[in-house]
Amino acid sequence: MAEDGSGNRNAVTDNRTTEGTARNGAAGDHTLTVTDNRTGQTYELPIEDGTIRATDLRQIKTGPDDFGLMSYDPAFVNTAACRSAITYIDGDKGILQYRGYPIEQLAERSTFLEVAYLLIYGALPTREQLDAWRDQITHHTFVHENVKDIMRAFRHDAHPMGMLVSTVGALSTFYPEAKQIQDAAAREYQTYRLIAKVPTIAAFTYRHSRGLPYVYPDNDLSYPGNFLSMLFKMSEAKYRPDPALEQALDVLFILHADHEQNASTSAVRAVGATEVDPYSALAAGVAALYGPLHGGANEAVLKMLREIGTKDRVPEFLKGVEAGERKLMGFGHRVYKSYDPRAKAIKQVADDVFQVTGVNPLLEIALELERIALEDDYFITRKLYPNVDFYSGLIYEAMGLPMGMFPVMFAIPRTAGWIAQWLEHTADEEQRIARPRQLYTGPLDLDYVPIEQRTK
Ligand code: SDX
């Protein structure tokens, strides 16, 4: 039994590091020796890839009727739910890699469609593969005409994310063959359709909110260029996207494409594990992303900056944050405990966009918030840094988009990550329907009380 130096007896010995005297495991074994001090029983738990299997705890019982130990981990702060080869994050070092390629190199040298291919197929495409991939996506950008009727049913002021959740889910009714999730060809076909059609639906939500006619896809344009055309084309015969904005959007899409087991990806995996079609699984992802603590934070940041109003009111606002009255939206991250590498890259994109659109006046407030927060003990001790959502909204607003569209701009590229994660989960032999346990805290064995006798 290892002592922890404080005189307390540890019930657990990590045999990978403890010298010598571990009761059962020899030092250097990849096992955990656990002694249940309720019974004096000792157990050897295998350590694999830095984890123990939660189900290995079930053998630890106080008697034959005992269910056995479970792990308790609200919000899964310290629980690996899957094995994945798609995205690697080192939160302490601020590292983000897609299939092993650093995000900085991809943002600098790749395109979103190439990155989507990389995430989904696991390797950078050859020229032929990329051309075929682009061709498939380009020729699936149209949506069924009935989709327009579905969207026309929304109120004029419907939030674009509410429209996107509903319409992505509705796509499942147009492609019943998507239910064949064990069929590789069917999975690939829905992959093309989702990557191609989400921007079309996203643009339709914007046009709906402006009371403008929907703009059909222009297959001559690039992926970001076509999206800009579907957003902003008016009476001109052919929309010509500004190359600087087209490039900036492509980089923003690359930076938002995937982020391992975030809340919306976990939702897609859990819903997908019921073997429902991918449209329904991705609608769950859109719904999760909508939340202001997740992808909705970019919209919440702009509301926060507007509320602060001027640079000189930043110190007063931060006092409220430190008093726990509110959060500094766009700051903090469950994994990154240093600067989010995407936020760094997005600041560069902001400079490029503002060259074209003019600087967003709220930028000054954002920069002052960041300057003060990064020197302030409250944020330093909690390792709170700007995340991917802190600057992105400033760019979208400068591009002419309303705040409600900001999380939609996040959902478009994250469609590629959600699909890659859904495909990986579907193929993972170890996975099955997700069904966590609970710690029951309610009453038991109550007798039914007739309503006449209920006094409260
Ligand atoms: C995204 O998971 C992903 O990968 C997500 C994402 C992706 O690409 O998919 O990166 C995209 O969702 C980015 C995050 C966008 N959300 C926001 O910007 C909203 C503001 N951020 C916080 O809500 C928060 O930081 C979270 C939700 C992002 C992370 O929350 P955690 O990990 O649960 O952290 P926590 O709440 O346990 O905070 C630890 C401490 C707490 O203080 P104490 O109770 O210890 O005193 O830090 C404080 C929190 O109150 N804190 C903040 C804060 N974030 C955490 N205080 C002020 N402002 C904040 N933003």
Side-chain angles (χ1 to χ4, degrees):
M1 201 87 64
E3 299 293 327
D4 63 5
S6 63
N8 296 326
R9 292 186 334 144
N10 273 347
V12 176
T13 303
D14 179 344
N15 297 315
R16 295 172 299 173
T17 58
T18 307
E19 292 309 313
T21 58
R23 176 176 292 187
N24 293 301
D29 277 359
H30 276 67
T31 59
L32 214 52
T33 301
V34 178
T35 298
D36 182 347
N37 293 315
R38 299 172 297 178
T39 61
Q41 284 288 314
T42 294
Y43 306 84
E44 290 295 297
L45 306 184
I47 296 172
E48 189 184 359
D49 300 324
T51 67
I52 59 165
R53 281 185 172 270
T55 45
D56 284 348
L57 296 172
R58 286 284 297 282
Q59 62 186 302
I60 302 175
K61 300 176 182 240
T62 55
D65 298 338
D66 183 352
F67 180 80
L69 286 191
M70 292 193 291
S71 58
Y72 178 55
D73 187 12
F76 310 117
V77 174
N78 192 44
T79 294
C82 64
R83 293 176 184 279
S84 180
I86 298 169
T87 293
Y88 173 73
I89 299 173
D90 181 322
D92 293 327
K93 298 187 184 123
I95 290 172
L96 169 58
Q97 299 187 355
Y98 292 160
R99 298 287 187 180
Y101 293 93
I103 192 70
E104 294 82 0
Q105 291 188 33
L106 294 171
E108 175 79 24
R109 304 173 63 185
S110 188
T111 64
F112 170 71
L113 275 189
E114 183 177 72
V115 165
Y117 185 100
L118 171 66
L119 289 169
I120 288 166
Y121 292 98
L124 287 171
T126 61
R127 165 64 57 199
E128 295 72 28
Q129 288 168 332
L130 183 58
D131 290 346
W133 170 247
R134 184 183 294 109
D135 189 57
Q136 285 289 1
I137 302 302
T138 302
H139 289 92
H140 282 88
T141 48
F142 277 68
V143 292
H144 192 292
E145 279 293 283
N146 289 12
V147 167
K148 288 163 49 178
D149 301 332
I150 293 171
M151 297 188 75
R152 278 203 187 96
F154 292 116
R155 274 173 50 115
H156 68 93
D157 58 355
H159 194 291
M161 278 297 267
M163 290 194 264
L164 188 66
V165 173
S166 320
T167 312
V168 169
L171 286 183
S172 65
T173 66
F174 292 92
Y175 309 110
E177 73 278 14
K179 289 182 171 48
Q180 314 312 323
I181 62 148
Q182 300 307 341
D183 178 314
R187 291 197 301 268
E188 189 161 47
Y189 216 77
Q190 309 329 311
T191 296
Y192 300 146
R193 284 171 165 157
L194 275 160
I195 301 267
K197 296 179 194 305
V198 167
T200 306
I201 295 168
F204 283 9
T205 67
Y206 171 70
R207 301 291 287 197
H208 173 91
S209 67
R210 295 287 310 279
L212 292 170
Y214 296 151
V215 174
Y216 286 110
D218 179 340
N219 290 346
D220 295 339
L221 298 174
S222 71
Y223 192 83
N226 172 48
F227 179 61
L228 288 168
S229 170
M230 293 190 291
L231 282 176
F232 299 128
K233 183 176 180 297
M234 300 305 275
S235 60
E236 66 273 41
K238 193 170 186 62
Y239 181 82
R240 302 274 176 219
D242 180 299
L245 296 187
E246 192 175 0
Q247 172 58 22
L249 203 47
D250 209 44
V251 173
L252 285 167
F253 283 174
I254 290 171
L255 295 170
H256 286 81
D258 192 58
H259 212 238
E260 57 131 290
Q261 304 313 313
N262 57 83
S264 52
T265 295
S266 302
V268 169
R269 280 182 173 258
V271 173
T274 68
E275 299 196 357
V276 76
D277 68 271
Y279 302 100
S280 304
L282 263 74
V286 179
L289 191 72
Y290 191 0
L293 295 188
H294 192 10
N298 52 22
E299 179 181 2
V301 167
L302 260 290
K303 288 178 182 168
M304 174 185 75
L305 296 176
R306 283 228 156 69
E307 181 195 332
I308 295 170
T310 56
K311 183 177 163 184
D312 57 355
R313 290 184 56 203
V314 163
E316 175 201 347
F317 176 81
L318 288 177
K319 282 200 182 71
V321 171
E322 294 173 24
E325 291 155 13
R326 56 205 302 178
K327 290 191 181 297
L328 176 53
M329 302 310 276
F331 259 67
H333 200 278
R334 176 64 56 76
V335 176
Y336 288 125
K337 298 309 171 191
S338 63
Y339 214 98
D340 183 333
R342 301 168 297 175
K344 250 182 227 149
I346 287 175
K347 267 178 97 170
Q348 177 53 49
V349 171
D351 292 344
D352 301 341
V353 169
F354 295 156
Q355 296 283 330
V356 174
T357 63
V359 178
N360 187 320
L362 295 173
L363 175 66
E364 184 187 43
I365 301 172
L367 290 171
E368 181 68 356
L369 267 175
E370 179 183 5
R371 184 187 68 78
I372 297 178
L374 293 186
E375 293 167 358
D376 183 302
D377 198 47
Y378 176 91
F379 298 92
I380 293 168
T381 52
R382 291 170 177 79
K383 298 183 178 180
L384 302 177
Y385 295 86
N387 59 46
V388 69
D389 289 309
F390 189 62
Y391 285 104
S392 53
L394 288 168
I395 298 172
Y396 299 140
E397 182 169 78
M399 284 178 155
L401 290 170
M403 285 191 291
M405 281 297 291
F406 297 178
V408 172
M409 299 299 285
F410 196 146
I412 293 169
R414 188 53 61 90
T415 297
W418 286 331
I419 290 171
Q421 299 274 349
W422 169 73
L423 289 169
E424 186 177 68
H425 202 86
T426 305
D428 186 341
E429 299 290 323
E430 223 183 4
Q431 293 296 343
R432 45 192 170 140
I433 195 164
R435 204 263 180 239
R437 299 284 183 163
Q438 65 170 14
L439 295 181
Y440 180 68
T441 58
L444 288 171
D445 307 327
L446 299 177
D447 292 323
Y448 183 79
V449 178
I451 193 160
E452 306 75 36
Q453 296 170 27
R454 293 174 210 161
T455 50
K456 57 182 174 29

